[in-house]
Amino acid sequence: MGLPALEFSDCCLDSPHFRETLKSHEAELDKTNKFIKELIKDGKSLITALKNLSSAKRKFADSLNEFKFQCIGDAETDDEMCIARSLQEFATVLRNLEDERIRMIENASEVLITPLEKFRKEQIGAAKEAKKKYDKETEKYCGILEKHLNLSSKKKESQLQEADSQVDLVRQHFYEVSLEYVFKVQEVQERKMFEFVEPLLAFLQGLFTFYHHGYELAKDFGDFKTQLTISIQNTRNRFEGTRSEVESLMKKMKENPLEHKTISPYTMEGYLYVQEKRHFGTSWVKHYCTYQRDSKQITMVPFDQKSGGKGGEDESVTLKSCTRRKTDSIEKRFCFDVEAVDRPGVITMQALSEEDRRLWMEAMDGREPVYNSNKDSQSEGTAQLDSIGFSIIRKCIHAVETRGINEQGLYRIVGVNSRVQKLLSILMDPKTASETETDICAEWEIKTITSALKTYLRMLPGPLMMYQFQRSFIKAAKLENQETRVSEIHSLVHRLPEKNRQMLQLLMNHLAKYSTLCLMCHSPTPSCTCLGRRAVTPSPRPAVRGP
């Protein structure tokens, strides 16, 4: 199993998995750097200490034999296997020369030491500098983000917008630095396949020219040398051929990172701050969270990018409900509450921005908090899409259609609030729920009945067309092609729960009947002009507002 591949798209999420992968690449570069240092040291000893040549050569051969290339990905190509096997082949040749007398190795420094030093300083050194910059930007971004999220929601809007803009700039710069660092690490990992091995091959070729026995061994080594030379050249060609494409991809992702996100198995994932209770108050702990809509599983991994390690054990819960936190109920911004089936209490979470919170709530089918300004004057019952709720709506609709359809300003003129609340209290009383649906007395004005209908719909826990489909309905309504628009809206309506759809159908039938009757004359005689004029000359001000 080789090193896991680094993907540019993972830079945006900056997940724990991405950090662990990056660590494995960094460890591989450190190991390579240490190995090159040792190899250079051993090479110098070989050149300057002829008397100790035999022991130095064995150590050099042993070092080569112990080092194993780690290629990116699960499967290795023939060229990669050939190059990875090359160090062991070199070690075998050196062991065969161990007992042979050697002569001074001319130009050994230029052939071996200089290229390795150059590779270590220019390539691995550059990767280390890029890591320092990346770690510095990580700390800077996390620090500014925490400072930004700790801003009170009571700050002036201009200050909050300025803070949001500053975080966006720092986030974009951090993302660019992350992409550049991944690009450099990937480049060094691939360069070492030829820039590291090639000097060793040249050094061995030089040895063959000075040793008669080496010349004989070179004949046996010739086939592998040819294969290795071809593999090195193939690897170099592939690198040079794809480097420009990879760099172009990196630039595209810098310009528009959202278009190149990796397709995730999760419905939503990212960092959230979770409020945790302590002995002397509460604290906000950063977690990397994932959510799967099908199973309703939320997984929370405590992880801080600055420390680069997990801060505790993973936790998984099953979602029960998700509600946006009211702004005036908490000092933090971008908060929402989650209730779990298998965990008591409410889990308060803080998203990284308003847009991030919207995405999390949309993924979790979140709902808005219920605002009920008339709570004290209402009955103890609550508005629900149950038999009582349907009975109330049908009673109101029947009253409007039988004795109020022609009233001016229907659904626009509001009733007196106290009478509206009194009518709702009567209608919501379970004792009268079994009575007929035509039982709203004539003493109640039509404007009181229409206001009661609208008020009851506002009292429901959520809108009939549901928050989670809001953006989809708006998008469908903007479609230019009428057939496509109707088909899309039809599909969305049939994704609503059964009771929502039934209530929506009831209201739409009523409003369609009302709008039709408003544009027609009901008199059988041609002398009637009151409503007829309205049919051909519509008022510039709409007569109806929906519930």
Side-chain angles (χ1 to χ4, degrees):
M1 176 66 72
L3 291 173
L6 285 170
E7 298 291 344
F8 284 137
S9 55
D10 290 337
C11 295
C12 182
L13 290 174
D14 195 17
S15 65
H17 174 71
F18 168 72
R19 288 281 181 159
E20 292 297 327
T21 303
L22 197 56
K23 273 188 175 182
S24 65
H25 280 264
E26 291 169 352
E28 175 64 15
L29 287 181
D30 288 337
K31 185 171 69 171
T32 302
N33 185 47
K34 292 177 182 178
F35 175 71
I36 291 176
K37 286 183 179 180
E38 289 296 321
L39 199 62
I40 292 172
K41 179 181 178 181
D42 294 341
K44 288 180 178 179
S45 298
L46 183 63
I47 294 171
T48 57
L50 293 178
K51 291 183 180 180
N52 299 320
L53 179 59
S54 180
S55 60
K57 187 168 60 175
R58 179 177 292 277
K59 186 176 185 301
F60 189 67
D62 292 342
S63 298
L64 292 176
N65 191 57
E66 290 171 2
F67 185 77
K68 301 290 190 302
F69 272 122
Q70 294 292 335
C71 299
I72 298 174
D74 295 333
E76 295 181 351
T77 64
D78 292 341
D79 292 330
E80 288 175 337
M81 288 189 291
C82 180
I83 293 175
R85 195 173 76 248
S86 62
L87 299 185
Q88 284 69 44
E89 294 289 337
F90 298 155
T92 301
V93 173
L94 286 174
R95 287 195 185 100
N96 291 334
L97 291 172
E98 180 182 352
D99 297 329
E100 298 295 325
R101 298 287 298 174
I102 66 169
R103 300 173 60 183
M104 179 64 70
I105 304 173
E106 296 180 355
N107 300 324
S109 179
E110 293 182 6
V111 171
L112 178 66
I113 305 302
T114 302
L116 292 179
E117 283 280 14
K118 183 179 179 181
F119 175 78
R120 189 179 68 84
K121 292 178 180 179
E122 293 183 1
Q123 299 301 324
I124 298 180
K128 288 185 176 181
E129 289 299 319
K131 174 175 169 43
K132 291 180 182 178
K133 183 178 179 181
Y134 176 69
D135 291 341
K136 182 178 179 181
E137 288 301 323
T138 298
E139 184 173 358
K140 178 181 177 181
Y141 166 65
C142 292
I144 289 181
L145 182 61
E146 290 181 0
K147 181 180 178 182
H148 172 66
L149 294 175
N150 285 324
L151 283 176
S152 173
S153 59
K154 298 179 181 180
K155 293 279 187 180
K156 293 181 179 179
E157 184 63 27
S158 59
Q159 292 177 325
L160 295 176
Q161 290 179 356
E162 183 179 355
D164 291 344
S165 299
Q166 182 184 7
V167 169
D168 288 339
L169 289 174
V170 174
R171 183 186 292 111
Q172 177 64 24
H173 184 62
F174 168 70
Y175 180 59
E176 292 177 1
V177 171
S178 178
L179 286 173
E180 291 171 355
Y181 179 46
V182 169
F183 174 77
K184 188 60 185 176
V185 170
Q186 195 92 350
E187 180 183 21
V188 175
Q189 293 283 29
E190 293 183 7
R191 277 184 178 275
K192 75 179 182 181
M193 299 294 285
F194 53 89
E195 289 195 3
F196 178 30
V197 178
E198 201 169 34
L200 295 171
L201 180 62
F203 174 69
L204 283 179
Q205 185 62 39
L207 285 178
F208 293 147
T209 62
F210 290 100
Y211 299 101
H212 176 72
H213 187 66
Y215 175 75
E216 296 297 330
L217 288 175
K219 292 180 180 180
D220 299 332
F221 187 77
D223 292 340
F224 180 75
K225 185 191 75 172
T226 301
Q227 183 183 358
L228 180 59
T229 303
I230 294 172
S231 296
I232 290 173
Q233 189 60 42
N234 290 340
T235 306
R236 183 194 297 274
N237 292 340
R238 282 195 297 271
F239 169 76
E240 293 176 350
T242 58
R243 186 181 187 279
S244 59
E245 297 179 7
V246 175
E247 189 173 11
S248 175
L249 175 60
M250 180 187 71
K251 291 179 180 178
K252 288 181 180 179
M253 296 191 69
K254 282 184 178 181
E255 295 171 359
N256 198 344
L258 295 180
E259 289 186 359
H260 299 85
K261 280 188 175 181
T262 303
I263 298 177
S264 174
Y266 302 106
T267 307
M268 186 67 185
E269 61 180 315
Y271 283 100
L272 291 172
Y273 284 81
V274 179
Q275 188 180 44
E276 296 186 355
K277 294 182 179 180
R278 306 294 188 190
H279 293 294
F280 301 99
T282 60
S283 64
W284 293 85
V285 181
K286 196 173 187 179
H287 289 70
Y288 190 83
C289 301
T290 59
Y291 175 68
Q292 181 60 260
R293 176 175 287 170
D294 294 338
S295 60
K296 292 187 175 294
Q297 285 294 311
I298 305 174
T299 302
M300 298 175 288
V301 181
F303 191 86
D304 189 350
Q305 295 139 296
K306 292 188 292 185
S307 63
K310 292 172 64 174
E313 296 298 324
D314 300 358
E315 182 179 4
S316 292
V317 296
T318 302
L319 176 69
K320 180 180 180 182
S321 66
C322 172
T323 308
R324 183 179 66 82
R325 190 69 179 262
K326 295 181 181 179
T327 305
D328 56 0
S329 67
I330 192 170
E331 283 290 327
K332 297 280 188 178
R333 303 169 68 198
F334 321 133
C335 292
F336 59 95
D337 291 335
V338 168
E339 288 186 86
V341 175
D342 45 3
R343 172 175 166 171
V346 174
I347 306 172
T348 300
M349 296 180 170
Q350 182 184 27
L352 303 185
S353 64
E354 186 64 41
E355 175 67 11
D356 191 41
R357 177 172 66 176
R358 184 191 66 76
L359 293 174
W360 277 104
M361 289 191 62
E362 187 174 281
M364 294 182 180
D365 300 330
R367 63 173 184 264
E368 292 293 310
V370 177
Y371 295 92
N372 197 349
S373 58
N374 299 315
K375 183 176 180 181
D376 295 337
S377 60
Q378 293 170 357
S379 65
E380 294 181 358
T382 58
Q384 298 290 338
L385 292 177
D386 52 11
S387 59
I388 296 178
F390 275 88
S391 175
I392 291 171
I393 299 301
R394 288 193 178 99
K395 288 177 181 179
C396 291
I397 289 176
H398 184 271
V400 171
E401 291 182 352
T402 54
R403 55 189 176 88
I405 200 71
N406 293 325
E407 286 208 7
Q408 185 178 4
L410 189 65
Y411 287 113
R412 179 166 56 86
I413 299 176
V414 299
V416 178
N417 185 58
S418 60
R419 288 186 59 78
V420 172
Q421 298 301 326
K422 184 177 180 181
L423 176 58
L424 279 176
S425 299
I426 295 173
L427 293 175
M428 295 174 68
D429 187 351
K431 297 178 181 179
T432 63
S434 60
E435 297 181 9
T436 63
E437 295 179 355
T438 61
D439 156 69
I440 297 181
C441 298
E443 67 182 46
W444 296 99
E445 297 177 293
I446 291 298
K447 64 181 181 181
T448 302
I449 297 173
T450 56
S451 295
L453 187 150
K454 292 190 290 185
T455 301
Y456 189 85
L457 292 174
R458 292 192 191 102
M459 290 165 57
L460 292 173
L464 293 180
M465 299 172 79
M466 302 183 72
Y467 288 111
Q468 69 185 88
F469 297 119
Q470 178 183 4
R471 293 171 64 86
S472 300
F473 273 112
I474 294 174
K475 183 178 178 181
K478 292 180 179 179
L479 294 174
E480 295 182 0
N481 184 280
Q482 181 178 1
E483 183 178 348
T484 306
R485 181 170 64 251
V486 172
S487 175
E488 186 66 22
I489 292 177
H490 180 271
S491 174
L492 289 170
V493 168
H494 281 269
R495 290 172 62 187
L496 295 172
E498 181 66 23
K499 290 186 177 181
N500 291 58
R501 189 165 66 251
Q502 290 176 358
M503 180 65 79
L504 187 63
Q505 183 178 6
L506 186 65
L507 291 171
M508 291 301 103
N509 289 338
H510 168 60
L511 294 176
K513 183 183 297 185
Y514 167 66
S515 63
T516 303
L517 292 175
C518 282
L519 298 177
M520 295 176 60
C521 177
H522 300 287
S523 173
T525 65
S527 61
C528 179
T529 59
C530 57
L531 293 175
R533 281 197 301 272
R534 245 176 37 185
V536 296
T537 310
S539 171
R541 182 175 182 181
V544 181
R545 289 183 183 177

